[in-house]
Amino acid sequence: MIIDDQVYDVIIIGTGAGGGTLARKLAPTGKKILILERGELTYGESSELTDTDVFKKEQFHAPEPWFDKAGEPFHPQTKYGVGGNTKLWYGVLMRMRERDFEAVPHQDGLSPEWGLKYADFEPYYTEAEKLYNVHGRSGEDPTEPPHSEDYPQPPVQNEPFLQPVFDTLSKQGLHPSHLPIGLGDHGRTDAEDTGITPAAESENVTLRTSAEVVWLHTNPSGREVKAVQAKVSGQDYLFMGHIVVVACGAINSAALLLRSLNDKHPNGLANGSGQVGRNLMKQLLSVVVQLTSDANSGMFPRTIGINDFYWGTDQFPYPMGHIQNSGGIFQDVLFSEAPPILSGLSRFFPNFGLRQLATHSIGWWIQTEDLPNPDNRVYYLNGRLRVEYTANNVEAHDRLVYKWFDVMRSVESAQPSMFTRGATHPRSDMPMSVVAHQCGTCRFGEDPENSVLDLNCRAHEVDNLYVVDSSFFPANTSVSPALTVMANALRVGDHLIDRLGG
């Protein structure tokens, strides 16, 4: 065991949307900061992928197996590296709706109220949008919450072949909007280029890669984390810090706390409530495809969002969810998990190869909120990370998919020259291995009996331990959690700056 001879003011574990944003926020304070990342530093991101990259799905998976509720192994689609999963995303950065912070009835149960409201996050949403250079347009989406400032950049325009679809949706009474997208000089902004790399340029910030944190050690009372144990390029190290921030992703953060048990925390660190690892949520995600008459590049950005059914319809008065175009299939990493959708098309169009199908298609992602369930949980047993998850709110998701089938047929009728009339619309539901939009395993709240963190995302039971990834969510939404994670990291950053003395 090697003991680092420095004592850090802050140790941040993980470099994704939460850890990367927090590092950028704290770097100007001059405090001594250590950032630990189990993966490597790569400067490329998913907008630079090629079609062959996307369908080599193994490169987007963790090297170690996780295990499902039946004990069967699977390799999750998750990224270990500086920037975390933001290196694979499409950069869509949407705010939660105002009602998402309230208690909302769903067909399958209640989405619980948050301890903070939209107004508490709004200034930090604005700060995050500026930091990540979000391109967007306010006022198009009737469900969008109020902004204190407009988006810092104008929206990304629809590809020419998509604009008629956008216009037709509007003419049919829907409210398509330009998706808010983080975009810089070299493609989509992410937690590496916007967070970690600028932060690491400060002399007070140290970044260590190939550093897998395996244990958090407390003092004898169990009230403080005194040392972080990590394997750095295979060698065991101990790092000392005054404040420790965990940001490994909702599943891995819970696993780290669970395996860091000791006499004072026999069920896992900060787990006196028994809530660590419980209430895992990860949205219901499906993709459906329209076949087009004309070819496209297969490598265009996501630009269209539809929230007309977010809160339901007259026929179904419960929330249904969010829809957005997939962007080019050849750049969409999630398509590496859904090759059957193109196989389904090939059955109906046997003369089309994979490339032809991908370049004659428009994909649509359909996202529905799942509800917290204490039996959907993360374990760490006998050296294995086990994820038990059973989907809920399924009928709401299915209704949204079927509703979108109707909309697609209506668009095709209005634009017969663009689409093959009567063509099938294959659907693919994302499997367990897709852990995109995971959240909820260390939820925050005011009552230590039913939450892990307080409203500043500090562990109730450990005075210097914070969690700033999506683990803190008490409820999910139908939009990506990324911007809320970033905004929360900036909010917690202000709290830590006060605690550190400026």
Side-chain angles (χ1 to χ4, degrees):
M1 180 79 69
I2 297 174
I3 300 177
D4 191 296
D5 61 2
Q6 301 185 67
V7 178
Y8 297 91
D9 293 301
V10 182
I11 299 176
I12 300 173
I13 306 167
T15 59
T21 305
L22 180 65
R24 178 71 182 270
K25 177 84 172 187
L26 297 182
T29 64
K31 301 298 181 181
K32 185 178 284 189
I33 299 167
L34 173 65
I35 306 167
L36 299 173
E37 167 57 52
R38 71 184 295 177
E40 298 292 341
L41 175 63
T42 56
Y43 290 104
E45 43 88 21
S46 57
S47 64
E48 299 171 355
L49 297 174
T50 66
D51 54 337
T52 53
D53 290 329
V54 169
F55 293 102
K56 291 178 181 176
K57 66 179 184 177
E58 64 274 5
Q59 75 180 60
F60 309 118
H61 288 65
E64 82 282 2
W66 296 359
F67 294 83
D68 64 18
K69 65 190 303 181
E72 294 297 321
F74 67 95
H75 285 271
Q77 189 187 72
T78 193
K79 174 69 174 176
Y80 295 154
V82 178
N85 284 324
T86 70
K87 301 302 289 186
L88 301 179
W89 67 357
Y90 254 86
V92 176
L93 295 173
M94 296 183 69
R95 299 183 178 203
M96 287 170 51
R97 318 287 96 171
E98 278 187 286
R99 274 181 62 193
D100 281 326
F101 291 91
E102 307 294 339
V104 178
H106 289 249
Q107 187 186 40
D108 276 11
L110 187 70
S111 181
E113 182 179 6
W114 287 50
L116 298 176
K117 302 301 180 184
Y118 176 77
D120 298 302
F121 283 89
E122 199 286 328
Y124 297 105
Y125 277 136
T126 298
E127 184 179 350
E129 287 165 349
K130 291 178 180 178
L131 182 63
Y132 283 87
N133 204 38
V134 175
H135 292 58
R137 176 180 292 157
S138 300
E140 295 179 313
D141 177 2
T143 73
E144 186 175 23
H147 290 227
S148 58
E149 299 180 35
D150 203 351
Y151 289 107
Q153 300 293 339
V156 178
Q157 295 303 310
N158 298 316
E159 289 286 305
F161 79 94
L162 278 175
Q163 188 61 43
V165 177
F166 188 97
D167 295 339
T168 299
L169 291 170
S170 297
K171 290 175 183 176
Q172 294 183 346
L174 299 179
H175 299 83
S177 60
H178 291 81
L179 289 170
I181 300 173
L183 194 64
D185 295 335
H186 303 288
R188 294 187 291 272
T189 49
D190 57 49
E192 176 267 308
D193 59 32
T194 304
I196 295 297
T197 295
E201 292 174 355
S202 301
E203 292 183 355
N204 56 301
V205 177
T206 300
L207 170 65
R208 282 184 175 258
T209 58
S210 296
E212 180 183 0
V213 174
V214 297
W215 207 280
L216 303 179
H217 297 276
T218 69
N219 62 2
S221 71
R223 288 296 306 174
E224 291 186 352
V225 176
K226 298 303 293 183
V228 174
Q229 182 179 342
K231 284 188 177 296
V232 182
S233 300
Q235 174 67 56
D236 283 315
Y237 278 76
L238 276 182
F239 300 99
M240 311 297 177
H242 296 302
I243 291 173
V244 174
V245 181
V246 176
C248 310
I251 292 173
N252 271 316
S253 287
L256 175 59
L257 298 186
L258 289 169
R259 68 174 175 256
S260 296
L261 51 82
N262 58 35
D263 289 343
K264 297 296 182 182
H265 299 274
N267 298 314
L269 192 59
N271 195 28
S273 64
Q275 295 298 310
V276 172
R278 291 187 181 271
N279 301 297
L280 171 66
M281 298 167 282
K282 65 180 196 74
Q283 287 184 354
L284 305 174
L285 295 170
S286 295
V287 62
V288 297
V289 168
Q290 286 179 291
L291 194 68
T292 62
S293 301
D294 297 327
N296 60 69
S297 68
M299 300 182 76
F300 52 90
R302 298 187 187 192
T303 52
I304 303 175
I306 300 96
N307 284 318
D308 291 85
F309 316 114
Y310 197 92
W311 299 117
T313 65
D314 291 342
Q315 294 75 34
F316 186 75
Y318 297 104
M320 294 167 72
H322 166 74
I323 300 163
Q324 59 184 247
N325 74 294
S326 71
I329 288 175
F330 281 147
Q331 284 187 308
D332 197 316
V333 173
L334 283 180
F335 262 94
S336 69
E337 297 293 343
I341 200 162
L342 295 181
S343 299
L345 274 173
S346 67
R347 291 199 303 271
F348 292 89
F349 301 95
N351 295 325
F352 276 47
L354 175 64
R355 171 172 284 277
Q356 288 176 295
L357 288 170
T359 57
H360 283 76
S361 300
I362 300 174
W364 297 96
W365 285 108
I366 300 175
Q367 304 174 186
T368 299
E369 175 178 353
D370 57 345
L371 303 174
N373 179 343
D375 292 328
N376 284 342
R377 61 185 302 189
V378 178
Y379 293 93
Y380 195 81
L381 295 172
N382 302 320
R384 290 181 169 185
L385 197 164
R386 180 163 172 161
V387 180
E388 296 191 356
Y389 179 84
T390 300
N392 59 54
N393 220 19
V394 174
E395 183 178 342
H397 184 66
D398 287 343
R399 284 176 175 267
L400 183 58
V401 173
Y402 300 144
K403 186 70 177 178
W404 193 244
F405 284 160
D406 292 338
V407 171
M408 286 191 294
R409 285 189 284 265
S410 179
V411 169
E412 290 159 5
S413 295
Q415 297 176 246
S417 64
M418 181 175 176
F419 296 98
T420 302
R421 290 290 303 277
T424 184
H425 298 125
R427 165 186 177 177
S428 185
D429 300 330
M430 293 303 101
M432 179 65 199
S433 59
V434 174
V435 291
H437 302 180
Q438 59 183 269
C439 62
T441 58
C442 299
R443 59 184 180 181
F444 79 166
E446 296 179 285
D447 185 355
E449 295 297 318
N450 57 31
S451 60
V452 178
L453 311 171
D454 68 15
L455 296 183
N456 287 319
C457 291
R458 181 185 66 83
H460 288 299
E461 301 169 29
V462 185
D463 182 62
N464 67 336
L465 175 64
Y466 291 79
V467 182
V468 297
D469 53 34
S470 57
S471 301
F472 84 96
F473 280 41
N476 205 350
T477 73
S478 293
V479 301
S480 163
L483 187 68
T484 301
V485 173
M486 294 166 174
N488 184 64
L490 296 170
R491 181 184 71 87
V492 174
D494 275 344
H495 163 78
L496 290 176
I497 290 170
D498 289 342
R499 176 169 176 167
L500 291 165

